[in-house]
Amino acid sequence: MSTEARESLNFIEQIIVEDIQNGKHGGSVYTRFPPEPNGFLHVGHCRAIVLNFDLGLKYNGKTNLRMDDTNPTTEKTDYVDNIKNDIKWLGYEWDGDVLYSSDYFEQLYDYAVVLIKKGLAYVDDSTAEEMAAMKGDTTTPGSNSPFRDRSIEENITLFAGMRAGEFPDGTRVLRAKIDMAAPNLLLRDPVLYRIKHEHHHRTGDEWCIYPLYDFAHGQSDSIEGITHSLCSLEFRHHRDVYNWLIEKLEIFPSRQIEFARMNVSYMITSKRKLLKLVEEGLVTGWDDPRMPTIAGMRRRGYPAQAIVDFCRGIGLTKRDNVIEIERLEYHVRQELNKSADRVMAVLDPLKVVITNYPEGQVEMLETVNNPEDENSASREIPFSREIYIERGDFKTEAPNRKYFRMAPGRNVRLKSAYILHCESYDTDPATGEVTTVYCTYYPDSKSGEDTSGVKAKGTLHFVSVGQAIEAEVRMYDRLFTDAEPTSHEDKDFLEFFNEESLKTITAYVEPSLSKAKAGEGVQFMRLGYFAADEDTTEAKPVFNQTVTLKGSYKP
RNA sequence: AGACCUAUGGUGUAAUUGGCAACACAGCAGAUUUUGGUUCUGUCGUUCUAAGUUCGAGUCUUAGUAGGUCUACCA
């Protein structure tokens, strides 16, 4: 047994291990993933999902899934269902039932009353504008609201009135009484409750006041006994409010720890901006294969395991980062290389006639489904006198010695078939475009039983003209022309929308592909990985390009 | 301008917590290959700056510089 290299822990795990060693919370580790159900989950969320659920698994704890649904204006049940589905698809299970911040509304209300009774919260009649004006700024302290010193009794009455629906939206709020001169602006009497006469996706019309993030998130953590509440860096300043509330309410002391969220080049993770792409019709929906959403990546053909491995492999720190998308694609290829069947598809067909092959004859050739998988079976593909090869695999003149595809006078092997000798070609007199290539084949060069002694450096994929079926293939490119489309202060991210991010073509594919099942990933030999789309039918298969093969050929 | 956070190859992270700066991705070169894929080998290249503490600093201290976050009745 070799001694393993010491495992290096990220800064959050170091804290957790230390807490366990100190017996904090009896050594338990409870985490949670708290999405707001106002959009689809995206790559950025994947990092948080993997982090939280892995921690729960690794340290024998549990991980809750909690919908942070305190804003009825933007939240929908439809989003809840998609979020649940996406997390399951990634392979994770949350502890017990899905939880909702809205389940705690009554408890939260009671907490607010406790605060009022302690003289630590008050109802403010100021308008939003007045409150902003009294807030001060980074260099000047704020000033106290004229309503700050209302009596506890009056505050209780007014707050009850707010709940009872006695006041219109925006007329009053409940604020914590902290410090209007605090250097942290969030500590300048943060708003805890606002009035919103709106229908909530779960509580219906039961409430017309709703708690804000600062008065819902930390308390929900506490109610659930979350020991380590992990969130992204921008919540750093909220931690002071989070801790203040825990202290004053004397509730379970969850600990908030911030980490830098993950950014991936050419992808955006702003739900608002993603929504805009959907609303403006630049993509077909939240699950468009170009979208950096989990639903989009799934439809694109990215295996869940690839996404999880990617998230695990990039580490965790507090510095801003942009991970090159190539790294995600590396994991996608690695996963698909192991699992995807190799199939024949010609995207840009050029007809080849094998002049010494009998007319009308169709031969079935055996080919292995996946050379990377020992347990992989074989199947048969048709071969005949007329085939299609990739137009890019033929040149009227071989450019150099390093070129080993098809050109007049050259030999080239057809995958799982015969070696061809290229004789001549026809061109369209009008355009000069090559229309047909003529070859002869070596009958004794059949794959697996080659006795010809003929050498061919290159191997091409092909489909038999008579048996090939047409398929719709959606070729995808990066959604944006800039690696960080949202980082330009002077330009809107939509200016970088890649108009060529989708090209739909008709390809010729081997007959077995009519039975492709939606979601199934295959490798189009020598071209890339493709996944059958949900639109696929037996009569008209539809494939999404997942990612190209790496490709090191330089003409 | 203030408070807070951050700074290690092109990118992302390590560095046994003060002891020879390494791993992965990307790039480049080569070997193997009935996929110019996979696999394998080699190669390129790194501690923001300046002082200080120390036998010794990527790590500790101070100052500076750069980037980020914060002044929503969003989360």
Side-chain angles (χ1 to χ4, degrees), chain A residues 25 53 101 127 138 143 185 201 204 217 243 291 304 311 334 341 353 378-379 392 407 424 493 503 505 511 518:
Chain A
H25 303 308
F53 283 95
S101 293
T127 64
T138 52
S143 51
L185 286 323
H201 76 117
H217 197 96
N243 289 339
M291 291 284 271
C311 289
Q334 177 157 288
D341 282 352
V353 177
S378 293
R379 66 177 193 288
S424 62
F493 78 105
K503 282 180 188 159
I505 60 174

Side-chain angles (χ1 to χ4, degrees), chain A residues 447-463:
Chain A
S447 281
E449 45 198 83
D450 184 354
T451 55
S452 68
V454 176
K455 287 203 181 70
K457 186 78 175 152
T459 301
L460 307 185
H461 61 281
F462 69 95
V463 292

Side-chain angles (χ1 to χ4, degrees), chain A residues 354-363 383-385 418 441:
Chain A
I354 302 161
T355 54
N356 60 340
Y357 194 88
E359 277 185 62
Q361 179 174 315
V362 177
E363 185 176 355
F383 181 74
S384 67
R385 191 172 199 265
Y418 300 90
Y441 84 117

Side-chain angles (χ1 to χ4, degrees), chain A residues 74-334:
Chain A
T74 54
E75 295 152 4
K76 295 197 205 109
T77 303
D78 178 47
Y79 289 131
V80 171
D81 296 336
N82 281 293
I83 288 169
K84 283 153 63 175
N85 183 43
D86 287 347
I87 295 172
K88 280 190 214 154
W89 178 72
L90 283 177
Y92 290 107
E93 277 177 51
W94 50 88
D95 185 72
D97 294 328
V98 177
L99 304 173
Y100 298 82
S101 293
S102 55
D103 286 345
Y104 312 136
F105 280 172
E106 195 64 51
Q107 171 77 69
L108 260 19
Y109 181 85
D110 290 343
Y111 283 157
V113 172
V114 167
L115 237 35
I116 293 172
K117 285 182 175 166
K118 284 188 170 189
L120 294 171
Y122 63 98
V123 173
D124 195 335
D125 303 357
S126 308
T127 64
E129 295 69 35
E130 286 164 345
M131 278 177 51
M134 287 185 284
K135 187 137 200 167
D137 58 35
T138 52
T139 49
T140 52
S143 51
N144 288 352
S145 162
F147 304 97
R148 199 174 197 259
D149 294 316
R150 279 215 248 241
S151 71
I152 290 174
E153 294 67 33
E154 189 182 5
N155 279 319
I156 287 179
T157 308
L158 284 172
F159 188 49
M162 280 169 64
R163 176 178 185 172
E166 292 169 15
F167 314 115
D169 289 5
T171 53
R172 281 176 229 265
V173 293
L174 181 74
R175 298 177 75 177
K177 193 187 287 186
I178 307 182
D179 179 5
M180 288 307 290
N184 178 354
L185 286 323
L186 294 173
L187 249 18
R188 321 250 260 225
D189 290 9
V191 175
L192 269 22
Y193 268 92
R194 79 284 219 187
I195 302 171
K196 263 180 190 257
H197 289 267
E198 271 183 72
H199 189 84
H200 186 276
H201 76 117
R202 296 194 83 238
T203 58
D205 298 314
E206 190 184 340
W207 294 86
C208 62
I209 57 171
Y210 292 94
L212 274 95
Y213 170 84
D214 280 321
F215 201 65
H217 197 96
Q219 288 60 33
S220 300
D221 284 342
S222 197
I223 290 167
E224 293 173 14
I226 300 303
T227 57
H228 302 268
S229 177
L230 316 179
C231 62
S232 47
L233 248 30
E234 62 265 35
F235 290 96
R236 164 63 191 93
H237 305 288
H238 289 268
R239 192 173 78 214
D240 295 341
V241 182
Y242 188 102
N243 289 339
W244 186 88
L245 253 5
I246 282 174
E247 186 194 323
K248 302 303 180 193
L249 254 16
E250 299 175 70
I251 53 180
F252 181 84
S254 301
R255 175 175 175 186
Q256 172 178 314
I257 305 170
E258 311 87 22
F259 62 91
R261 64 165 207 268
M262 173 182 80
N263 298 295
V264 182
S265 64
Y266 296 98
M267 288 184 160
I268 60 171
T269 51
S270 152
K271 277 195 269 190
R272 215 198 87 250
K273 292 187 170 74
L274 290 172
L275 214 211
K276 196 169 180 188
L277 287 170
V278 174
E279 284 176 339
E280 299 208 355
L282 290 165
V283 294
T284 58
W286 284 99
D287 69 340
D288 185 297
R290 289 167 292 180
M291 291 284 271
T293 52
I294 294 179
M297 293 189 285
R298 175 171 56 233
R299 194 167 175 185
R300 177 80 170 254
Y302 286 15
Q305 192 59 49
I307 297 171
V308 170
D309 287 346
F310 168 71
C311 289
R312 285 176 181 159
I314 57 168
L316 186 79
T317 62
K318 294 176 80 164
R319 16 179 146 120
D320 292 331
N321 61 79
V322 181
I323 296 143
E324 293 170 332
I325 196 170
E326 286 80 0
R327 186 159 177 151
L328 209 205
E329 292 175 340
Y330 164 79
H331 287 284
V332 171
R333 289 191 185 101
Q334 177 157 288

Side-chain angles (χ1 to χ4, degrees), chain A residues 419-431:
Chain A
I419 293 175
L420 256 39
H421 182 77
C422 182
E423 308 284 350
S424 62
Y425 59 92
D426 286 343
T427 53
D428 181 329
T431 63

